[in-house]
Amino acid sequence: MTQDLKTRRQLHPRSLAAQAMGKVDPLTRAVVPPIHVSTTFVRDPDNAYSSGFIYGRPDNETTREAESVLAMLEEAQAGALLFASGMAAATAVFQALSPGDHIVAPKVMYWALRSWLLTEATRWGLAVDFVETDDLSQLQAAVKPGATRLVWLETPSNPLWTITDIEAAAAIAHAAGARLAVDSTCASPVHTRPLTLGADIVMHAATKVLNGHSDVIAGALAAREDDAFWNRIKTVRKGQGGILGPFEAFLLLRGMRTLHLRQERQSASALALAERLAAHPLVARVLYPGLPQHPGHDVARRQMQGGFGYMLSIQVVGGEAAAVRTAAHVELYKRATSLGGVESLIEHRASIEGSGTPCPTDLLRLSTGIEDTQDLYADLDQALRAGHG
Ligand SMILES: *Cc1c(COP(=O)(O)O)cnc(C)c1O
């Protein structure tokens, strides 16, 4: 028998995650369940599929095990779905809409998804308006009752770490008859559970802190209600074949066992770095929701528990050239895109986003890993000095 810890008594999510819901392999009693690779499943003599597994494109047990951990972490009543990437997960939500539907999305958001909305989504007949979602009056003015079907948020959002009030945005979306979806990649369920604040769908680039080791591309959605829209999304994943493969699902499952440890450490380190960098003579500005001077600090204090996330950005004294030179001089940080791994990364965002980016050109984005905080600070300090030398 498979044990499900959840049915026993109220356990903290960190306990459930550490044991991946307490599942034990029924055949060997192994504490790590095997990776299920079969693409097909035997049918009963009476033609039924009593196991609930028919074919690997919709059905994989390893993927389902990882989904059950994520559903628990997000308190998702309707469950979770894993996709082959964060982009596959996000775009499935938009593809579940109908031509002519109106969407409101943030002006500053994950760059690749913003480009997809501007190009592919419009080809599908979706109308998208971009607003500063942290300004609730702009959001209110942008939703069109009866026409707007989806409000998309990202909080904290790339790369300024803008905070949007999920509860207030949900009220605005719902009053207009729209659903609210939240890209919660940078908060993670350790700090924020959007579904408990009124969101209908939560999305993650599981590539980032959920897996945490920069070795899996994966995406996830989790939903509050098992309604027609959630079933449309399941149909999109099944039809387009966007399910996460079993080997990736296994790595993600292993990563999520240590999610709380990593996220708490990374967020504590990010806060300490933000505080010290705010006093650095070569740093013009630190963008981090944990700092009282950040415009989203008060909302972040309400909707984020136990920390403000592992992401921060700095604007460097001396502009773009000094920022690029600073990044050139890091020794411990890795100069690379992406975020949420155990290794710290630094990136000059404007140059990767290209023309039309709303990202300030003097901005360096920092993803905080699990290295020693003092080592990270010392590396940034020497790189800033060398970059201005
Ligand atoms: C990385 C990322 C995505 C896209 O995820 P992929 O797994 O790279 O497709 C979406 N949103 C945010 C906030 C991200 O950081």
Side-chain angles (χ1 to χ4, degrees):
M1 269 296 288
T2 313
Q3 290 164 320
D4 191 339
L5 285 176
K6 189 79 178 171
T7 59
R8 295 197 166 179
R9 64 190 162 83
Q10 209 50 49
L11 292 166
H12 192 280
R14 80 170 71 243
S15 305
L16 295 166
Q19 298 194 8
M21 312 305 285
K23 288 217 166 70
V24 167
D25 174 43
L27 181 66
T28 64
R29 315 290 293 150
V31 297
V32 178
I35 305 176
H36 290 265
V37 295
S38 189
T39 55
T40 192
F41 304 89
V42 175
R43 211 163 169 155
D44 306 331
D46 68 357
N47 236 15
Y49 275 109
S50 56
S51 73
F53 291 83
I54 299 173
Y55 182 58
R57 177 147 41 74
D59 308 320
N60 182 274
E61 174 59 12
T62 307
T63 308
R64 285 190 191 175
E65 283 169 10
E67 287 170 347
S68 76
V69 174
L70 187 68
M72 175 278 294
L73 291 170
E74 286 294 0
E75 301 180 42
Q77 305 295 329
L81 289 173
L82 286 171
F83 291 77
S85 69
M87 282 298 288
T91 54
V93 178
F94 298 103
Q95 287 170 345
L97 295 167
S98 302
D101 285 353
H102 178 248
I103 301 161
V104 179
K107 243 182 198 155
V108 181
M109 64 184 290
Y110 183 70
W111 187 242
L113 185 56
R114 185 174 184 273
S115 319
W116 187 89
L117 288 173
L118 281 166
T119 53
E120 303 303 319
T122 40
R123 292 184 62 184
W124 279 60
L126 298 172
V128 193
D129 278 321
F130 295 94
V131 300
E132 283 165 11
T133 52
D134 55 315
D135 178 351
L136 295 169
S137 59
Q138 278 191 38
L139 183 61
Q140 180 70 66
V143 296
K144 303 174 190 166
T148 306
R149 293 292 171 217
L150 185 72
V151 173
W152 184 269
L153 301 182
E154 181 181 326
T155 182
S157 78
N158 260 292
L160 309 179
W161 317 113
T162 310
I163 301 291
T164 297
D165 185 332
I166 297 171
E167 215 164 2
I172 292 171
H174 293 159
R179 289 186 171 76
L180 180 73
V182 180
D183 180 342
S184 193
T185 299
C186 295
S188 100
V190 173
H191 294 324
T192 308
R193 283 157 305 282
L195 303 180
T196 68
L197 297 170
D200 301 283
I201 305 247
V202 57
M203 175 252 151
H204 287 283
T207 307
K208 312 296 168 54
V209 80
L210 285 180
N211 180 61
H213 295 77
S214 307
D215 54 9
V216 168
I217 296 282
L221 298 175
R224 195 155 49 85
E225 265 184 66
D226 192 5
D227 58 8
F229 190 67
W230 184 236
N231 281 290
R232 275 278 305 141
I233 292 172
K234 285 184 188 169
T235 304
V236 168
R237 187 184 76 166
K238 184 175 165 182
Q240 301 194 173
I243 194 173
L244 187 67
F247 293 101
E248 284 78 7
F250 170 76
L251 284 172
L252 175 59
L253 200 50
R254 185 171 69 170
M256 286 192 294
R257 289 175 185 260
T258 57
L259 172 66
H260 290 78
L261 269 182
R262 289 182 286 104
Q263 174 83 52
E264 285 159 11
R265 169 60 196 246
Q266 288 169 249
S267 294
S269 214
L271 176 61
L273 289 171
E275 284 169 347
R276 290 189 69 183
L277 290 165
H280 197 288
L282 299 174
V283 174
R285 193 165 168 223
V286 178
L287 302 167
Y288 186 66
L291 296 181
Q293 60 267 36
H294 189 279
H297 182 64
D298 290 339
V299 177
R301 278 180 46 165
R302 259 190 285 126
Q303 78 184 18
M304 301 183 81
Q305 286 96 45
F308 300 93
Y310 50 92
M311 295 304 297
L312 67 147
S313 295
I314 56 174
Q315 289 178 260
V316 174
V317 169
E320 177 166 10
V324 171
R325 279 198 309 271
T326 298
H329 283 95
V330 293
E331 290 164 1
L332 179 59
Y333 274 82
K334 292 282 178 289
R335 241 180 342 274
T337 195
S338 198
L339 45 112
V342 292
E343 61 288 303
S344 293
L345 306 177
I346 187 166
E347 181 177 38
H348 183 250
R349 270 312 289 176
S351 51
I352 199 154
E353 293 189 1
S355 66
T357 173
C359 178
T361 55
D362 61 354
L363 182 144
L364 292 174
R365 188 178 81 174
L366 305 173
S367 175
T368 314
I370 61 168
E371 303 93 336
D372 183 73
T373 312
Q374 172 56 28
D375 286 349
L376 291 173
Y377 180 77
D379 189 36
L380 291 171
D381 178 47
Q382 69 75 27
L384 281 161
R385 285 173 206 285
H388 289 79

